[in-house]
Amino acid sequence: TGVGAGDLLAAMLAGADFGTALMWVVVVGAVLKLGLNEGVARWQLATGTTLLEGWCRHLGWPLKAYFFVYLVLWSFIVAGGLMSACGVAAHALWPIFSIRTWSIIHSSAALALVALGRYTVVENVMKALIGLMTVTLLLSVVMVGPDLMSVLRGFAPTLPKGSAAATLSLMGGVGGSVTLLAYGYWIREKGWKGAGSLSGVRIDLTVGYVLTGLFGIAMLLLAAAVLGGGAGMPPGSEGLVACGDAVRVATTDRFGASAGGVVAMIFLIGVWGAVFTSTLGVWNGVPYLFADYLDALRGRFDAVVDTGGIAYRGYLFYLAVPPMVLLFLDRPMWVIKVYTLTCGLFMPLLAATLLWLNSRRKLVGELRNGLVATATLVMALFLFAVIAGRQLIDLL
């Protein structure tokens, strides 16, 4: 679910402007997010409580109040951004409805699926869509046929002139933000507990972030191959249509007109799968955060979130319906960019608290931060603080 509008937009813009030179950034971003997510899971396996419960138990009221306000505002903006991203992708794929109408349809579909389906239903739908987006985008890359040597050179760390902002955006956009906290509730649904589950969690997360990295690389390669040379990318669905058309032209030159049209359609299906899985994951995962946070503020720890309760379902409705007002701004890409900013502002907080809490033996025992985990968290704290500052400056 961490793969979505942020990855999509950042990778396409980076590939269009700087070719394959920033591919290494995708890898670094995925590794850092893997380290953060592993820290979230390790806290829960060690303590039996979610990280949110840990914040409420061991950190002060200023953080509690800040996160509550942040979560409510983040949810509203991100929900609007994800709706817009779904509308943009669906309109580019099948323009029978407006972007706004497609956005409302996708939000309503995600609402119905989460409200009516059990966790296993949502999980299986997510698996199918993740498989769809991975296969379609990798197939698109193979069919377009990027230059192998330029691909290999992209893994060597370089910073082309004028690429600082794109580098930070690309690194921050890979692999989700607040949704990393939702992983704790999903491993609780799976029944994974204690230190004995750590190896399974690490395998699970590694597979997830390998797929995340492959998605980001695939999007960057496609944009580099068909929009490279500083051509830039038009905004909104026009940008996706332009990229899809460029994919069609590139594959038509190699395999003929019929194949070109098919590959362009495959590419757009993959993009749609990416943004809808992100939406579905947020609609399912973020209400857990809200309901659990309310329980923790009342001193109820270790409680299993009631997905049929008022707190969970009320917040699900809050995600799916009120942010629709943002769709009437008629600036879908602006909403998506604000969404990536609010995501970036969360990451330094997460890295700092994991660095503090997971280093205390009396709290996490044998699962405390080791040398590698500590180094990863320190690097993540520094880089994501820089990213958040840069995004704030760019927005203002």
Side-chain angles (χ1 to χ4, degrees), residues 33 69 71 78 87 92 109 137 245 268 270 277 279 290 298 321 333 343-344 349 353:
K33 295 290 179 70
V69 173
L71 180 64
V78 167
L137 289 173
D245 285 345
L268 292 173
T277 54
T279 302
F290 181 77
R298 293 194 293 260
V321 178
M333 296 305 288
C343 292
L349 171 66
T353 54

Side-chain angles (χ1 to χ4, degrees), residues 66-84:
Y66 166 80
F67 182 74
F68 183 83
V69 173
Y70 178 88
L71 180 64
V72 172
L73 294 177
W74 176 90
S75 299
F76 190 85
I77 295 170
V78 167
L82 287 172
M83 290 180 202
S84 294

Side-chain angles (χ1 to χ4, degrees), residues 2-12 170 173-176 212 215-216 219 339-340:
V3 173
D7 309 66
L8 177 71
L9 183 63
M12 290 185 70
L170 189 58
V174 173
T212 298
F215 173 87
M219 287 304 309
Y339 146 60
T340 61

Side-chain angles (χ1 to χ4, degrees), residues 45-331:
L45 295 178
T47 65
T49 63
T50 65
L51 186 61
L52 276 184
E53 292 168 349
W55 286 357
C56 290
R57 178 176 285 180
H58 301 289
L59 302 177
W61 272 102
L63 177 62
K64 297 177 189 178
Y66 166 80
F67 182 74
F68 183 83
V69 173
Y70 178 88
L71 180 64
V72 172
L73 294 177
W74 176 90
S75 299
F76 190 85
I77 295 170
V78 167
L82 287 172
M83 290 180 202
S84 294
C86 286
V88 167
H91 184 263
L93 180 64
W94 199 17
I96 59 170
F97 299 125
S98 67
I99 293 176
R100 183 185 301 155
T101 301
W102 272 126
S103 299
I104 294 171
I105 289 172
H106 281 76
S107 179
S108 302
L111 170 64
L113 188 58
V114 173
L116 300 177
R118 300 184 308 276
Y119 168 77
T120 52
V121 174
V122 176
E123 183 186 43
N124 288 331
V125 171
M126 289 283 288
K127 286 179 181 178
L129 290 174
I130 289 167
L132 174 70
M133 78 181 193
T134 304
V135 170
T136 52
L137 289 173
L138 291 179
L139 179 60
S140 299
V141 171
V142 171
M143 295 295 285
V144 168
D147 177 64
L148 182 59
M149 289 308 297
S150 69
V151 171
L152 295 176
R153 286 194 298 270
F155 290 108
T158 58
L159 283 175
K161 183 178 180 180
S163 66
T167 299
L168 294 176
S169 178
L170 189 58
M171 191 176 296
V174 173
S177 58
V178 177
T179 49
L180 270 67
L181 294 179
Y183 187 71
Y185 305 94
W186 293 328
I187 64 175
R188 183 177 279 177
E189 291 279 5
K190 302 293 285 187
W192 295 351
K193 301 176 182 178
S197 296
L198 183 59
S199 60
V201 164
R202 284 173 170 167
I203 292 171
D204 186 50
L205 288 172
T206 300
V207 171
Y209 280 96
V210 166
L211 291 177
T212 298
L214 286 174
F215 173 87
I217 289 171
M219 287 304 309
L220 192 147
L221 286 176
L222 280 169
V226 301
L227 294 175
M233 189 178 71
S237 58
E238 293 86 358
L240 286 181
V241 170
C243 198
D245 285 345
V247 168
R248 176 181 53 77
V249 171
T251 48
T252 295
D253 292 342
R254 298 183 67 201
F255 302 106
S258 59
V262 170
V263 176
M265 183 66 68
I266 289 173
F267 161 73
L268 292 173
I269 289 172
V271 170
W272 169 82
V275 292
F276 188 58
T277 54
S278 189
T279 302
L280 185 58
V282 168
W283 268 225
N284 175 262
V286 174
Y288 278 104
L289 301 181
F290 181 77
D292 187 41
Y293 200 62
L294 291 185
D295 283 339
L297 289 176
R298 293 194 293 260
R300 295 180 55 200
F301 302 106
D302 308 323
V304 176
V305 172
D306 179 12
T307 56
I310 294 176
Y312 183 94
R313 291 189 171 247
Y315 210 72
L316 172 61
F317 179 84
Y318 171 71
L319 284 167
V321 178
M324 288 180 183
V325 300
L326 296 176
L327 302 175
F328 293 88
L329 296 176
D330 290 323
R331 297 179 66 187

